[in-house]
Amino acid sequence: MTNKDITNIEDIQLMVDTFYSNVRKDELIGSIFEERIGDRWPEHLEKMYRFWQTILLNEHTYSGSPFPPHKQLPVEKEHFTRWMEIFTSTIDSLFVGPLAEEAKLRGQNMAEMFNYKIEYFRHEAKHPLL
C-alpha cells in the first residue's frame, strides 16, 4: 500500500488493525483470538496501539507486562509460527524502512519468548519440583 516507514500513531493503528483483521480470518489462530478476546476487541486493539507506540516510536503510552495474559493460551510452536507469518506479511504489505524491520524483529523475539515461557510453565505444571 505505502512505501514508507512506520512514523506515527496512525501508522501503528494501521499496522495493528490490518494485522488483527488478518489474524481473525486465519483458520489456525483466528478462533483462539476470538475465544479469548470475545467482545473486547476495541480494548485489545487500543492496548496494542499503546504497546507498539511505546516499542517503535519510543512514546511511552503502554505500561504493564505483555506475557501474563498469554500464559494459559492453548497454543503450540505452530501457532507462533503462523502468528509471525501473518505479522511479517502484514508489515511487508504496508511499510518499508528501519522501523518496519524493527517491528518484525521485535515480533519474532516476542513470539519466541512467549512460546518458550508457555512451554516452560506447562512443563513446570506437569513436573513440579519436589
Side-chain angles (χ1 to χ4, degrees):
M1 257 183 226
T2 68
N3 285 324
K4 70 178 200 78
D5 203 0
I6 299 167
T7 59
N8 56 42
I9 187 60
E10 289 80 14
D11 293 339
I12 297 286
Q13 289 168 335
L14 176 62
M15 175 187 85
V16 168
D17 290 347
T18 305
F19 170 68
Y20 282 105
S21 174
N22 292 335
V23 162
R24 292 173 84 173
K25 293 182 254 177
D26 187 74
E27 289 182 17
L28 180 61
I29 65 175
S31 63
I32 295 169
F33 280 84
E34 290 294 338
E35 287 169 18
R36 183 56 56 122
I37 295 172
D39 62 356
R40 297 183 329 274
W41 277 101
E43 171 190 331
H44 181 72
L45 294 173
E46 186 60 40
K47 192 178 290 184
M48 293 301 96
Y49 302 153
R50 292 191 314 268
F51 176 80
W52 286 107
Q53 182 181 19
T54 298
I55 297 242
L56 296 177
L57 303 180
N58 206 24
E59 297 170 4
H60 298 279
T61 57
Y62 175 85
S63 62
S65 180
F67 178 70
H70 300 85
K71 186 176 173 182
Q72 301 298 328
L73 288 178
V75 291
E76 305 292 338
K77 176 88 173 123
E78 66 179 328
H79 298 101
F80 286 102
T81 299
R82 185 67 187 132
W83 183 95
M84 198 59 219
E85 289 168 359
I86 296 169
F87 190 69
T88 299
S89 66
T90 298
I91 291 174
D92 287 345
S93 74
L94 298 171
F95 302 104
V96 174
L99 283 181
E101 294 304 311
E102 179 73 13
K104 292 186 287 188
L105 177 64
R106 295 293 191 107
Q108 182 67 46
N109 289 344
M110 228 177 343
E112 289 173 3
M113 188 255 308
F114 279 22
N115 182 58
Y116 172 81
K117 285 176 97 171
I118 287 171
E119 287 181 3
Y120 174 83
F121 285 116
R122 276 191 198 139
H123 178 77
E124 286 299 304
K126 289 179 187 169
H127 308 285
L129 296 174
L130 299 176

